[in-house]
Amino acid sequence: MVIERYDGIVSAIAYEFARKYKIVDADDVRQELWVWFLEHPNKVSTWEALEGKQSIKLIARSLRNAAKDYCQKQKAQMGGYRVEDNYYYDKELVEALLPAVIRGDLVAPAVVELGFVSGKKVASEGGNWFAMMADIDWGLEKLTTEQKSIIFLRYGDGCDNKTFAKELDITEDAARMRVNRALNNLINFLGGSKPRKERDYTEEEANDKTNADNRSDGDLQETGGEDPGSDMEE
């Protein structure tokens, strides 16, 4: 049964978000996650047909999106605003704003400097520029001293990852990982990434997905002599 199979992961995600969003109860989040299973039967059955950890990974990701969506709706309801009014910072925008925040600029950069395509509003319209500056400055203060130093070195001093790696005497890959980790933590303090709105597969889509996976498995077995899953079984 679905409940027996996924009760552990549903409970873990429910408690995770209940701790993060103090305004929600874990049991309410659990109930919302079970509703997700009822609303996405084709997607669940298609993913369950996958082997190994991929099935659990896909379902867990969707459950976390559903939990975040529910918690943000509850937060908006208690705060007297619409969840659609929430603003989400993506990595590209944060990276574009960080040098100005660190320098303490009082003049909004040009639209092209923020990476916006033509047709979007200028960042300074309606005071958005100063609001974004304040948000990111607040988020920086929430980082650990080490991660704040990483951000300042990478974006305040204008170092690329190669120069940054030399400064810390680490590999370039390690430098990139540290920067990304600090950026992700900053974005989480700013409210996290925008939750994905999911729909269920139609029966036709589910069948097409299953048939495509089966064809892919058949091609693998015809081209090689070894079982593609043999390494996983050992």
Side-chain angles (χ1 to χ4, degrees):
M1 293 179 63
V2 171
I3 293 180
E4 295 177 353
R5 188 178 304 123
Y6 296 108
D7 186 60
I9 192 169
V10 165
S11 297
I13 292 175
Y15 284 114
E16 172 189 341
F17 279 83
R19 288 195 301 269
K20 182 176 180 180
Y21 293 84
K22 307 296 184 182
I23 60 173
V24 300
D25 184 79
D27 287 338
D28 291 334
V29 181
R30 278 170 53 90
Q31 180 175 331
E32 190 70 17
L33 297 185
W34 290 124
V35 169
W36 181 88
F37 280 97
L38 294 175
E39 293 178 343
H40 300 81
N42 295 326
K43 183 171 287 188
V44 172
S45 62
T46 302
W47 288 349
E48 285 183 334
L50 300 176
E51 296 183 357
K53 297 180 180 179
Q54 185 67 9
S55 172
I56 295 297
K57 182 179 180 180
L58 289 169
I59 290 176
R61 183 179 64 186
S62 290
L63 290 176
R64 282 193 167 85
N65 285 332
K68 183 175 183 179
D69 188 46
Y70 171 76
C71 291
Q72 290 190 338
K73 285 180 180 178
Q74 296 304 306
K75 182 180 178 181
Q77 184 176 353
M78 292 187 66
Y81 62 91
R82 299 180 309 164
V83 71
E84 292 82 6
D85 296 331
N86 283 335
Y87 186 84
Y88 297 95
Y89 289 89
D90 59 33
K91 181 180 177 182
E92 289 74 18
L93 178 58
V94 171
E95 286 187 301
L97 289 169
L98 272 170
V101 173
I102 294 171
R103 291 193 305 264
D105 289 354
L106 297 179
V107 179
V111 177
V112 291
E113 292 178 8
L114 289 177
F116 290 141
V117 296
S118 59
K120 280 200 173 185
K121 292 184 177 180
V122 179
S124 59
E125 288 185 6
N128 289 344
W129 163 247
F130 296 104
M132 289 189 292
M133 289 272 286
D135 283 349
I136 293 178
D137 189 54
W138 174 86
L140 285 172
E141 295 303 318
K142 297 293 183 180
L143 296 176
T144 64
T145 301
E146 179 185 2
Q147 290 190 331
K148 188 175 179 181
S149 298
I150 289 172
I151 292 291
F152 272 68
L153 182 60
R154 173 67 176 82
Y155 297 99
D157 294 345
C159 296
D160 57 17
N161 285 327
K162 185 175 182 179
T163 304
F164 176 64
K166 289 182 178 179
E167 287 281 343
L168 298 183
D169 193 24
I170 57 178
T171 66
E172 191 171 344
D173 284 341
R176 186 180 298 107
M177 289 177 62
R178 292 191 187 185
V179 171
N180 286 337
R181 191 177 299 119
L183 274 176
N184 288 335
N185 282 346
L186 175 58
I187 291 171
N188 285 335
F189 282 125
L190 294 173
S193 56
K194 188 174 183 178
R196 296 172 55 187
K197 300 295 183 182
E198 296 193 4
R199 63 173 180 82
D200 191 21
Y201 290 153
T202 63
E203 290 189 16
E204 182 178 359
E205 288 173 327
N207 290 334
D208 289 345
K209 183 75 171 71
T210 301
N211 291 336
D213 290 338
N214 289 338
R215 287 196 299 271
S216 176
D217 290 342
D219 292 340
L220 286 172
Q221 291 172 2
E222 289 175 5
T223 56
E226 298 181 359
D227 178 2
S230 60
D231 291 341
M232 296 177 61
E233 296 173 354
E234 290 180 353

